[in-house]
Amino acid sequence: MTPTSAASPPAHASGWSREPTQSPRSKSEAGVIRRARIGDAVLGWACRLSAALIALMLVSLIAVLVHSAWPAMREFGVGFLISSEWRANEIERPVRDAAGQLMLRDGEAVMEILPPAFGALPVIWGTAVSSFLALVIAVPISLSAAVFLVRVAPRLRIAGAASFLIEFLAAVPSLAFGVWALFVLAPLFQKYVGPWLHRIFEPIPGLRWMFYESVTVAGRTIERPIPLTGRDLFTGSLILAIMILPIVTSVSRDVLRAVPRTQIEGTLALGATWWQSCVAMLRYGRSGLLGAIMLGLARAAGETMAVTMVIGNNNQISPSPFAPAQTMASLLANEFAEATEGLHRASLLYVALILLTMSLMFNVVARRLVVGRIASSGSH
Amino acid sequence: MPVSSLMTQPPASPKPQSEPPVVEMPPRKRAIIAVGATAGGSALAGGQYPVIDAIKRGETPEPRRHESVMGVPSVLDIRDFQLWYGQNKALHGINMPIAEGKITSIIGPSGCGKSTLLRSVNRLNDLVDGVRTAGTIALQGEDVYARGVDVISLRKRLGMVFQKPNPFPMSIFENVVYALRISGERRKAVLGQACEKALRQAALWDEVKDRLKGSAMGLSGGQQQRLCIARAIVCEPQVLLLDEPCSALDPIATLRIEELILEIGQRYTVLIVTHNMQQAARVSDFTAFMYLGRLVEYGRTADIFQLPRLRETEDYVTGRFG
Ligand SMILES: Nc1ncnc2c1ncn2[C@@H]1O[C@H](COP(=O)(O)OP(=O)(O)OP(=O)(O)O)[C@@H](O)[C@H]1O
Ligand SMILES: [Mg+2]
């Protein structure tokens, strides 16, 4: 749109001119038109400015991140993404030989000094696994809730109330979720759910990795049970699932609402059961639903506060969901305030840049899927 | 809303008229005629249409059912059927048998309840909130509204095609065999045969046989509608319900569908709702004229168009009123 076309909308003007002009009123009408035009112009420019400001903010956000992360990017390159070391300070440790024996010289252990090193693999792993688990938990619930809101709730006349509650859930501050998770979920897991899962799954062959970890103590590798603290990847995923429920549900609901009536009636007229017609409805909205899920994924990957409180904050890669872990966001929340040393800080910002890029990608894909679906429902 | 606009028309003649005796004319031999819709003469002065006036007053006058329709064997028998949408009564005591193996069309002004009647047969109105019914619709002697009727298997005995083509977002093949799939049919050979047969009957086979795996959304509007017909007849329904199947199509596609309906009418009982008088005249054996939820006149198509017993019907089918 060009600025002039916004400033003087022709339809508006002709709409006025078509009115029978009465001489006593025409003067004030002209004034109204002029004022409306000025108002349109001002509003038009204000809107453009705001839009530009938002774009500028995003660009400068990326620029600042890249600039501050540059030392780490230069130091580690893309290897940062696949390295799993994370040492903020240099440490001293005894050297061991291949057999795990301490190397001694003059009766004393030989020490080596490890310089600080940074790698994002553990947090990428933690983010990926916790987001994935959150989706696995949240998506079935969200889709069922969306189907309920579209197909059942209107008949019960509770669609409005139910939708309100779900959207209200989205407005709860994440700190509140975190506190609830810390004081309710975590103890519950530690005392009841964890041991119960342990009893059920441990005897199943091939699932031992869920409950035991190998650690190297004094040169020997031993297997020991993972302590159940209730603050682990699983609890973190669960709270993430709860937090992405509202958005996935409400976007899915909008997608399903846009499914044409004739589609549902078409399946029913052919003798589909209620359940089969719901499946058809989900199939019709599948790409929009995928978008809803992607939005949920973006939110799960970026969520910070609540996850930091319950995920255990351990920068390690463990296959077990019952081991403490760390996500990109929780790493930043934990360490950023204390990161005084240059490379440490730059590495954290490198992580932030990865997180931002990922979230942007998820969001772009999701929006495309959802908007394309709702706008052109009917075409495929 | 059509109904409310009719309701708010100026009241009928100030001088109350007693219903004049209706001249019953003998039924004539059937002949297909083309009716030129003579648009023009709008609503005549009140009192011209005693039956319509009575309906507008809220009465349900006895419809003129020709002897010719009452004698034929019927597959579907609508008896004193009434339907309410919440407080609004949309159908008033409809009595009409649907002749087996014939094409019956329902005509009437917009909002008179044609779709409602059609959707009552396969109980699609059950989905609408606040619908109540009374009376019976008997499909081969069994009331579809009786208690304990399995609606799912009832709908499998009926096919329905909607106003707007509604192919599912799947391949052409999967669209056609949908009704079989949801009944649990998995055998490839059975599905393939059924698909070919239905598509041939719907006169679509030659056009799509090379792209059965392609998306149904890529077909033209007319092809989509024929696909929907194929989908509806794949289970060989006892009655095929068509709700204005051509109203979203261009004239050429409309002609093809009409030919198809005539052909399908050789095998199936067809109940078709249409706005298009010529279409009713061209394709159907029997025609029912409805007005404000009442059946007004019902008889052989030729009789309805050539020798209607009511002035209302005559003026409606010639486009002088409605
Ligand atoms: N879902 C519904 N809820 C409430 N009222 C309805 C509903 N569907 C139809 N009606 C009303 O029932 C009456 C009959 O509607 P119906 O759709 O059967 O008319 P129609 O003859 O098919 O009209 P058209 O030729 O425009 O399709 C109308 O007054 C309409 O407003
Ligand atoms: Mg209709």
Side-chain angles (χ1 to χ4, degrees):
Chain A
M1 231 209 294
T2 59
T4 47
S5 73
S8 57
H12 190 172
S14 68
W16 278 102
S17 66
R18 240 186 277 118
E19 293 217 334
T21 34
Q22 294 167 328
S23 44
R25 274 180 50 200
S26 61
K27 216 170 200 167
S28 70
E29 272 178 17
V32 169
I33 295 169
R34 202 166 41 244
R35 270 202 304 276
R37 280 195 186 154
I38 295 171
D40 281 358
V42 168
L43 196 66
W45 281 107
C47 290
R48 261 178 221 109
L49 201 72
S50 318
L53 217 66
I54 291 172
L56 199 73
M57 261 167 61
L58 185 62
V59 169
S60 94
L61 180 64
I62 294 173
V64 166
L65 272 183
V66 170
H67 176 77
S68 339
W70 189 248
M73 293 170 87
R74 199 182 42 208
E75 178 84 18
F76 307 113
V78 260
F80 188 70
L81 300 179
I82 50 164
S83 156
S84 56
E85 309 232 32
W86 190 274
R87 272 193 309 277
N89 306 304
E90 59 176 32
I91 57 169
E92 223 182 342
R93 68 166 190 196
V95 182
R96 292 173 190 278
D97 60 19
Q101 295 299 314
L102 288 180
M103 297 226 315
L104 298 175
R105 187 182 299 151
D106 306 333
E108 278 192 34
V110 182
M111 303 301 274
E112 63 180 345
I113 290 175
L114 296 172
F118 300 97
L121 194 59
V123 283
I124 291 176
W125 166 265
T127 306
V129 175
S130 63
S131 305
F132 174 76
L133 278 180
L135 284 185
V136 167
I137 299 165
V139 167
I141 300 174
S142 286
L143 291 187
S144 316
V147 168
F148 172 82
L149 286 174
V150 174
R151 295 287 299 267
V152 184
R155 284 207 142 190
L156 306 178
R157 300 177 204 292
I158 54 168
S163 287
F164 171 77
L165 277 180
I166 286 172
E167 263 144 31
F168 178 75
L169 217 55
V172 173
S174 78
L175 188 74
F177 278 113
V179 168
W180 178 76
L182 192 62
F183 290 117
V184 178
L185 269 190
L188 208 66
F189 262 80
Q190 188 176 17
K191 292 209 191 78
Y192 306 105
V193 183
W196 180 74
L197 287 172
H198 207 301
R199 264 208 310 284
I200 291 186
F201 288 108
E202 207 207 324
I204 300 175
L207 287 187
R208 216 177 146 71
W209 53 268
M210 271 197 185
F211 303 98
Y212 291 88
E213 61 185 352
S214 325
V215 282
T216 310
V217 180
R220 273 182 309 136
T221 302
I222 56 162
E223 198 180 49
R224 65 166 190 203
I226 299 172
L228 284 176
T229 59
R231 292 205 257 160
D232 48 34
L233 192 62
F234 189 73
T235 316
S237 306
L238 201 65
I239 196 67
L240 276 180
I242 293 170
M243 294 181 73
I244 64 175
L245 267 175
I247 179 123
V248 181
T249 306
S250 63
V251 176
S252 306
R253 177 200 59 199
D254 293 345
V255 168
L256 293 185
R257 238 186 227 158
V259 174
R261 240 192 119 65
T262 53
Q263 283 285 324
I264 296 161
E265 289 184 344
T267 57
L268 290 171
L270 288 167
T273 59
W274 187 86
W275 173 250
Q276 285 165 333
S277 78
C278 285
V279 171
M281 183 168 72
L282 292 172
R283 188 194 296 115
Y284 190 89
R286 63 197 166 203
S287 72
L289 295 175
L290 199 65
I293 294 169
M294 295 289 274
L295 276 180
L297 186 60
R299 176 141 317 175
E303 171 47 44
T304 312
M305 205 54 230
V307 179
T308 309
M309 292 170 84
V310 292
I311 203 162
N313 302 315
N314 190 347
N315 233 345
Q316 67 172 4
I317 296 180
S318 164
S320 169
F322 303 108
Q326 183 87 290
T327 68
M328 297 194 227
S330 70
L331 176 74
L332 284 161
N334 274 314
E335 296 194 1
F336 196 75
E338 292 140 33
T340 45
E341 193 258 327
L343 199 58
H344 187 192
R345 207 180 173 87
S347 299
L348 286 173
L349 287 162
Y350 197 174
V351 171
L353 189 65
I354 298 168
L355 183 58
L356 178 71
T357 317
M358 256 173 50
S359 292
L360 275 180
M361 263 161 32
F362 288 152
N363 267 300
V364 168
V365 174
R367 296 277 171 205
R368 288 190 82 118
L369 289 171
V370 174
V371 172
R373 203 65 226 171
I374 292 183
S376 69
S377 56
S379 75
H380 178 240
Chain B
M1 275 283 93
V3 174
S4 56
S5 71
L6 282 165
M7 289 305 201
T8 52
Q9 270 180 2
S13 87
K15 186 187 72 165
Q17 250 183 340
S18 60
E19 258 192 59
V22 178
V23 190
E24 301 272 329
M25 284 180 269
R28 230 207 243 165
K29 259 188 85 186
R30 185 186 167 196
I32 291 284
I33 46 149
V35 180
T38 47
S42 56
L44 298 167
Q48 291 270 352
Y49 300 126
V51 175
I52 297 291
D53 290 343
I55 290 175
K56 282 185 187 165
R57 282 196 300 272
E59 296 166 21
T60 305
E62 186 60 23
R64 303 304 187 275
R65 278 185 301 264
H66 301 192
E67 306 70 42
S68 50
V69 288
M70 303 312 285
V72 294
S74 66
V75 58
L76 198 64
D77 200 0
I78 303 168
R79 287 236 181 95
D80 197 29
F81 190 75
Q82 318 179 39
L83 185 142
W84 292 261
Y85 286 115
Q87 296 301 312
N88 299 331
K89 194 166 182 181
L91 294 177
H92 299 251
I94 306 282
N95 273 296
M96 62 187 278
I98 309 296
E100 179 153 27
K102 302 284 185 200
I103 302 177
T104 303
S105 63
I106 305 177
I107 58 173
S110 188
C112 70
K114 307 180 296 290
S115 302
T116 302
L117 184 59
L118 208 64
R119 294 158 55 90
S120 300
V121 175
N122 65 356
R123 293 189 58 172
L124 219 49
N125 278 328
D126 289 13
L127 304 176
V128 180
D129 212 6
V131 162
R132 280 180 304 129
T133 63
T136 62
I137 296 181
L139 177 63
Q140 296 198 318
E142 293 169 55
D143 180 16
V144 303
Y145 281 91
R147 207 174 271 182
V149 165
D150 178 5
V151 182
I152 303 300
S153 58
L154 165 75
R155 289 186 185 139
K156 283 178 181 157
R157 290 159 62 194
L158 300 161
M160 184 161 193
V161 176
F162 296 78
Q163 189 165 347
K164 207 169 153 256
N166 59 343
F168 303 144
M170 328 183 228
S171 69
I172 293 170
F173 178 82
E174 288 300 331
N175 261 280
V176 178
V177 301
Y178 184 81
L180 296 169
R181 279 248 193 257
I182 57 176
S183 306
E185 182 60 69
R186 287 225 183 76
R187 286 165 293 170
K188 270 252 157 62
V190 175
L191 293 175
Q193 267 172 7
C195 174
E196 178 172 347
K197 188 165 161 232
L199 282 172
R200 277 191 195 283
Q201 285 181 5
L204 192 60
W205 175 251
D206 291 325
E207 285 158 72
V208 302
K209 62 171 185 269
D210 301 320
R211 48 194 279 215
L212 290 176
K213 293 270 170 279
S215 170
M217 311 305 258
L219 298 173
S220 75
Q223 288 174 325
Q224 287 187 359
Q225 197 62 306
R226 276 180 281 150
L227 179 71
C228 292
I229 292 175
R231 193 171 69 187
I233 59 179
V234 76
C235 284
E236 313 205 329
Q238 285 157 356
V239 181
L240 186 60
L241 309 166
L242 308 174
D243 191 354
E244 301 188 33
C246 302
S247 64
L249 304 178
D250 62 82
I252 298 194
T254 298
L255 268 180
R256 297 207 59 176
I257 301 274
E258 281 180 13
E259 280 168 22
L260 176 59
I261 292 168
L262 274 172
E263 219 179 287
I264 284 187
Q266 318 256 320
R267 283 197 195 83
Y268 300 99
T269 307
V270 178
L271 188 56
I272 175 173
V273 166
T274 175
H275 256 140
N276 180 332
M277 241 68 73
Q278 288 98 312
Q279 186 170 72
R282 276 195 297 263
V283 303
S284 63
D285 301 298
F286 298 96
T287 298
F289 171 46
M290 284 179 69
Y291 192 85
L292 280 189
R294 281 84 166 178
L295 182 62
V296 176
E297 185 160 359
Y298 183 28
R300 282 211 183 113
T301 300
D303 297 341
I304 293 289
F305 281 89
Q306 281 187 320
L307 289 171
R309 297 182 189 178
L310 287 179
R311 170 139 201 198
E312 285 81 347
T313 313
E314 183 178 356
D315 284 359
Y316 182 75
V317 297
T318 51
R320 274 198 287 268
F321 141 84

